[in-house]
């Protein structure tokens, strides 16, 4: 299997011929672009405290992902810690629609009107693709078909889109 060889010899792989239709991709791209083009005041309606809803909208400057590196460097001996600037991106993220994952129900923007439908379809297609990739890993590792199924009963997959 090519995926096994790529993982062993190169360390990564690119998914091509994934089967997600251009119509689905174009629909989610369009609705997401339209969402990011909305006024900040409207997008702010979808910012929720992490302990209430860990998904949704995150405005420019709300995240500082390099803080993870800062925390990591603080553990190193003689580390120099510098203050870091916030991330210059905004994002929208969506979690699973399955009560068994213990995540809250999804919250979608009302505008654009096709946002919920396009993101739900895209999320579902990506989840199917993730399962196919996991199956390929199982076969490439010589574990047999379906080996990982018992471990991934309710995958807590998150899909996000960033705008820089």
């Amino acid at each position: 299997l090519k995926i096994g060889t790529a993982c062993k010899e190169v360390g990564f792989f690119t998914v091509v011929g994934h089967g997600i239709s251009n119509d689905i991709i174009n629909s989610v791209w369009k609705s997401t672009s339209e969402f990011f083009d909305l006024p900040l005041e409207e997008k702010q309606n979808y910012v929720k405290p992490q302990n209430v809803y860990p998904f949704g909208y995150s405005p420019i400057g709300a995240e500082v992902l390099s803080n993870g590196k800062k925390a990591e460097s603080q553990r190193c001996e003689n580390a120099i810690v510098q203050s870091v600037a916030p991330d210059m991106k905004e994002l929208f993220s969506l979690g699973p629609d399955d009560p068994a994952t213990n995540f809250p129900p999804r919250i979608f923007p009302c505008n654009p009107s096709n946002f919920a439908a396009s993101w739900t379809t895209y999320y579902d297609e990506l989840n199917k693709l993730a399962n196919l990739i996991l199956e390929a890993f199982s076969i490439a590792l010589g574990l047999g078909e379906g080996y990982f199924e018992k471990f991934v009963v309710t995958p807590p997959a998150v899909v996000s889109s960033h705008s820089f």
Side-chain angles (χ1 to χ4, degrees):
L1 252 170
K2 288 182 180 180
I3 199 167
T5 302
C7 290
K8 288 176 190 173
E9 296 179 9
V10 180
F12 66 93
F13 60 91
T14 302
V15 178
V16 295
H18 46 66
I20 300 175
S21 77
N22 284 336
D23 288 344
I24 291 171
I25 293 169
N26 291 336
S27 178
V28 77
W29 181 268
K30 184 177 184 295
S31 66
T32 302
S33 296
E34 289 173 1
F35 174 77
F36 284 133
D37 287 343
L38 294 172
L40 178 61
E41 298 75 33
E42 187 169 348
K43 293 182 286 190
Q44 291 280 40
N45 291 324
Y46 304 99
V47 176
K48 306 294 179 200
Q50 284 291 306
N51 63 336
V52 174
Y53 187 71
F55 312 111
Y57 178 69
S58 180
I60 291 174
E63 292 188 345
V64 184
L65 295 182
S66 56
N67 271 343
K69 286 290 183 192
K70 180 178 163 186
E72 189 177 288
S73 68
Q74 286 176 336
R75 291 190 295 261
C76 297
E77 203 172 314
N78 300 322
I80 298 172
V81 178
Q82 300 174 344
S83 62
V84 291
D87 296 350
M88 297 306 296
K89 70 170 187 320
E90 59 182 337
L91 68 90
F92 187 88
S93 63
L94 182 69
D97 188 26
D98 183 346
T101 62
N102 293 319
F103 285 116
R106 290 175 169 172
I107 300 172
F108 288 105
C110 299
N111 191 10
S113 61
N114 67 330
F115 192 92
S118 68
W119 270 67
T120 298
T121 301
Y122 187 62
Y123 183 100
D124 292 345
E125 290 299 308
L126 287 176
N127 198 41
K128 289 177 198 172
L129 177 59
N131 287 329
L132 288 174
I133 293 170
L134 197 57
E135 183 69 11
F137 287 158
S138 176
I139 294 167
L141 291 168
L143 300 172
E145 291 184 20
Y147 178 80
F148 290 115
E149 287 177 13
K150 61 187 170 217
F151 301 107
V152 187
V153 180
T154 55
V158 175
V159 174
S160 65
S161 183
H162 300 81
S163 179
F164 294 91

